[in-house]
mmCIF file of all heavy atoms in Angstrom:
data_model
loop_
_atom_site.group_PDB
_atom_site.id
_atom_site.type_symbol
_atom_site.label_atom_id
_atom_site.label_comp_id
_atom_site.label_asym_id
_atom_site.label_seq_id
_atom_site.Cartn_x
_atom_site.Cartn_y
_atom_site.Cartn_z
ATOM 1 N N VAL P 153 -7.565 23.661 -6.289
ATOM 2 C CA VAL P 153 -6.681 24.125 -5.239
ATOM 3 C C VAL P 153 -5.689 25.087 -5.716
ATOM 4 O O VAL P 153 -5.239 24.863 -6.974
ATOM 5 C CB VAL P 153 -6.019 22.995 -4.510
ATOM 6 C CG1 VAL P 153 -5.124 23.443 -3.450
ATOM 7 C CG2 VAL P 153 -7.036 22.005 -3.840
ATOM 8 N N LEU P 154 -5.422 26.151 -5.030
ATOM 9 C CA LEU P 154 -4.422 27.088 -5.514
ATOM 10 C C LEU P 154 -3.035 26.935 -4.871
ATOM 11 O O LEU P 154 -2.992 26.531 -3.620
ATOM 12 C CB LEU P 154 -4.790 28.525 -5.193
ATOM 13 C CG LEU P 154 -6.017 29.078 -5.933
ATOM 14 C CD1 LEU P 154 -6.216 30.475 -5.617
ATOM 15 C CD2 LEU P 154 -5.936 28.837 -7.426
ATOM 16 N N GLY P 155 -2.097 27.132 -5.621
ATOM 17 C CA GLY P 155 -0.713 27.007 -5.040
ATOM 18 C C GLY P 155 0.100 28.239 -5.596
ATOM 19 O O GLY P 155 -0.264 28.946 -6.468
ATOM 20 N N ALA P 156 1.309 28.422 -5.001
ATOM 21 C CA ALA P 156 2.274 29.509 -5.267
ATOM 22 C C ALA P 156 3.631 28.941 -5.323
ATOM 23 O O ALA P 156 3.988 28.024 -4.659
ATOM 24 C CB ALA P 156 2.220 30.704 -4.242
ATOM 25 N N SER P 157 4.419 29.374 -6.361
ATOM 26 C CA SER P 157 5.729 29.062 -6.422
ATOM 27 C C SER P 157 6.671 30.271 -6.601
ATOM 28 O O SER P 157 6.206 31.218 -7.168
ATOM 29 C CB SER P 157 5.880 28.114 -7.787
ATOM 30 O OG SER P 157 7.232 27.615 -7.867
ATOM 31 N N ASN P 158 7.802 30.129 -6.058
ATOM 32 C CA ASN P 158 8.882 31.161 -6.103
ATOM 33 C C ASN P 158 8.381 32.485 -5.539
ATOM 34 O O ASN P 158 8.656 33.587 -6.137
ATOM 35 C CB ASN P 158 9.254 31.396 -7.613
ATOM 36 C CG ASN P 158 9.725 30.137 -8.327
ATOM 37 O OD1 ASN P 158 10.736 29.551 -7.785
ATOM 38 N ND2 ASN P 158 9.120 29.728 -9.339
ATOM 39 N N PHE P 159 7.556 32.440 -4.369
ATOM 40 C CA PHE P 159 7.300 33.670 -3.677
ATOM 41 C C PHE P 159 8.170 33.837 -2.417
ATOM 42 O O PHE P 159 8.550 32.834 -1.825
ATOM 43 C CB PHE P 159 5.790 33.355 -3.128
ATOM 44 C CG PHE P 159 4.737 33.890 -4.027
ATOM 45 C CD1 PHE P 159 4.621 33.385 -5.334
ATOM 46 C CD2 PHE P 159 3.750 34.773 -3.548
ATOM 47 C CE1 PHE P 159 3.613 33.811 -6.203
ATOM 48 C CE2 PHE P 159 2.702 35.166 -4.489
ATOM 49 C CZ PHE P 159 2.638 34.684 -5.748
ATOM 50 N N HIS P 160 8.501 35.056 -2.195
ATOM 51 C CA HIS P 160 9.310 35.371 -0.961
ATOM 52 C C HIS P 160 8.248 35.433 0.176
ATOM 53 O O HIS P 160 6.981 35.581 0.019
ATOM 54 C CB HIS P 160 9.978 36.705 -1.093
ATOM 55 C CG HIS P 160 11.033 36.699 -2.138
ATOM 56 N ND1 HIS P 160 12.115 35.941 -2.057
ATOM 57 C CD2 HIS P 160 11.186 37.512 -3.243
ATOM 58 C CE1 HIS P 160 12.846 36.112 -3.061
ATOM 59 N NE2 HIS P 160 12.350 37.070 -3.850
ATOM 60 N N ALA P 161 8.762 35.250 1.401
ATOM 61 C CA ALA P 161 7.909 35.116 2.609
ATOM 62 C C ALA P 161 6.982 36.293 2.766
ATOM 63 O O ALA P 161 5.828 36.219 3.112
ATOM 64 C CB ALA P 161 8.807 34.885 3.837
ATOM 65 N N ILE P 162 7.573 37.510 2.695
ATOM 66 C CA ILE P 162 6.673 38.669 2.862
ATOM 67 C C ILE P 162 5.529 38.759 1.904
ATOM 68 O O ILE P 162 4.416 39.026 2.355
ATOM 69 C CB ILE P 162 7.549 40.021 2.755
ATOM 70 C CG1 ILE P 162 8.631 40.019 3.835
ATOM 71 C CG2 ILE P 162 6.760 41.200 2.759
ATOM 72 C CD1 ILE P 162 9.520 41.186 3.799
ATOM 73 N N ARG P 163 5.810 38.496 0.716
ATOM 74 C CA ARG P 163 4.704 38.477 -0.366
ATOM 75 C C ARG P 163 3.792 37.333 -0.086
ATOM 76 O O ARG P 163 2.515 37.481 -0.406
ATOM 77 C CB ARG P 163 5.282 38.451 -1.740
ATOM 78 C CG ARG P 163 6.045 39.645 -2.120
ATOM 79 C CD ARG P 163 5.094 40.792 -2.529
ATOM 80 N NE ARG P 163 4.395 40.578 -3.824
ATOM 81 C CZ ARG P 163 3.553 41.269 -4.424
ATOM 82 N NH1 ARG P 163 3.097 42.335 -3.760
ATOM 83 N NH2 ARG P 163 2.965 40.894 -5.496
ATOM 84 N N PHE P 164 4.271 36.183 0.219
ATOM 85 C CA PHE P 164 3.317 35.025 0.463
ATOM 86 C C PHE P 164 2.409 35.310 1.637
ATOM 87 O O PHE P 164 1.211 35.002 1.574
ATOM 88 C CB PHE P 164 4.192 33.799 0.585
ATOM 89 C CG PHE P 164 3.403 32.481 0.586
ATOM 90 C CD1 PHE P 164 2.701 32.252 -0.505
ATOM 91 C CD2 PHE P 164 3.402 31.634 1.634
ATOM 92 C CE1 PHE P 164 1.896 31.065 -0.532
ATOM 93 C CE2 PHE P 164 2.683 30.403 1.584
ATOM 94 C CZ PHE P 164 1.905 30.076 0.538
ATOM 95 N N LYS P 165 3.045 35.804 2.729
ATOM 96 C CA LYS P 165 2.132 36.135 3.846
ATOM 97 C C LYS P 165 1.105 37.138 3.512
ATOM 98 O O LYS P 165 -0.032 37.102 3.924
ATOM 99 C CB LYS P 165 3.103 36.574 5.025
ATOM 100 C CG LYS P 165 2.194 36.897 6.324
ATOM 101 C CD LYS P 165 3.174 37.384 7.470
ATOM 102 C CE LYS P 165 2.338 37.431 8.795
ATOM 103 N NZ LYS P 165 1.145 38.265 8.607
ATOM 104 N N ALA P 166 1.535 38.124 2.740
ATOM 105 C CA ALA P 166 0.545 39.222 2.281
ATOM 106 C C ALA P 166 -0.606 38.658 1.569
ATOM 107 O O ALA P 166 -1.724 39.002 1.789
ATOM 108 C CB ALA P 166 1.298 40.327 1.427
ATOM 109 N N ALA P 167 -0.346 37.663 0.609
ATOM 110 C CA ALA P 167 -1.371 36.989 -0.116
ATOM 111 C C ALA P 167 -2.309 36.291 0.822
ATOM 112 O O ALA P 167 -3.573 36.311 0.593
ATOM 113 C CB ALA P 167 -0.744 36.090 -1.031
ATOM 114 N N LEU P 168 -1.785 35.588 1.798
ATOM 115 C CA LEU P 168 -2.574 34.790 2.699
ATOM 116 C C LEU P 168 -3.398 35.795 3.610
ATOM 117 O O LEU P 168 -4.643 35.602 3.874
ATOM 118 C CB LEU P 168 -1.765 33.933 3.607
ATOM 119 C CG LEU P 168 -0.913 32.907 2.951
ATOM 120 C CD1 LEU P 168 0.015 32.184 4.019
ATOM 121 C CD2 LEU P 168 -1.800 31.844 2.224
ATOM 122 N N ASP P 169 -2.974 36.902 4.030
ATOM 123 C CA ASP P 169 -3.635 37.896 4.759
ATOM 124 C C ASP P 169 -4.742 38.586 3.940
ATOM 125 O O ASP P 169 -5.864 38.771 4.463
ATOM 126 C CB ASP P 169 -2.608 38.926 5.277
ATOM 127 C CG ASP P 169 -1.659 38.430 6.362
ATOM 128 O OD1 ASP P 169 -1.932 37.336 6.914
ATOM 129 O OD2 ASP P 169 -0.754 39.147 6.609
ATOM 130 N N ILE P 170 -4.500 38.876 2.637
ATOM 131 C CA ILE P 170 -5.495 39.475 1.782
ATOM 132 C C ILE P 170 -6.574 38.456 1.627
ATOM 133 O O ILE P 170 -7.780 38.873 1.648
ATOM 134 C CB ILE P 170 -4.801 39.906 0.480
ATOM 135 C CG1 ILE P 170 -3.940 41.135 0.658
ATOM 136 C CG2 ILE P 170 -5.895 40.155 -0.572
ATOM 137 C CD1 ILE P 170 -2.995 41.435 -0.461
ATOM 138 N N ALA P 171 -6.260 37.204 1.373
ATOM 139 C CA ALA P 171 -7.249 36.209 1.231
ATOM 140 C C ALA P 171 -8.261 36.067 2.444
ATOM 141 O O ALA P 171 -9.470 36.012 2.241
ATOM 142 C CB ALA P 171 -6.689 34.877 0.884
ATOM 143 N N ALA P 172 -7.643 36.127 3.518
ATOM 144 C CA ALA P 172 -8.439 36.066 4.776
ATOM 145 C C ALA P 172 -9.295 37.262 5.025
ATOM 146 O O ALA P 172 -10.375 37.304 5.339
ATOM 147 C CB ALA P 172 -7.488 35.814 6.056
ATOM 148 N N ARG P 173 -8.743 38.393 4.660
ATOM 149 C CA ARG P 173 -9.395 39.757 4.865
ATOM 150 C C ARG P 173 -10.558 39.833 3.879
ATOM 151 O O ARG P 173 -11.637 40.370 4.300
ATOM 152 C CB ARG P 173 -8.415 40.813 4.666
ATOM 153 C CG ARG P 173 -8.990 42.299 4.950
ATOM 154 C CD ARG P 173 -8.021 43.351 4.350
ATOM 155 N NE ARG P 173 -8.053 43.320 2.959
ATOM 156 C CZ ARG P 173 -7.070 43.857 2.202
ATOM 157 N NH1 ARG P 173 -5.999 44.490 2.707
ATOM 158 N NH2 ARG P 173 -7.162 43.877 0.852
ATOM 159 N N ASP P 174 -10.303 39.528 2.671
ATOM 160 C CA ASP P 174 -11.327 39.836 1.588
ATOM 161 C C ASP P 174 -12.177 38.635 1.145
ATOM 162 O O ASP P 174 -12.970 38.691 0.314
ATOM 163 C CB ASP P 174 -10.625 40.329 0.309
ATOM 164 C CG ASP P 174 -9.902 41.649 0.606
ATOM 165 O OD1 ASP P 174 -10.239 42.324 1.639
ATOM 166 O OD2 ASP P 174 -9.124 42.106 -0.232
#
Side-chain angles (χ1 to χ4, degrees):
V153 175
L154 294 185
S157 184
N158 302 304
F159 272 54
H160 295 301
I162 292 174
R163 290 282 291 176
F164 191 56
K165 184 178 187 304
L168 298 176
D169 290 345
I170 288 166
R173 182 194 72 196
D174 295 350

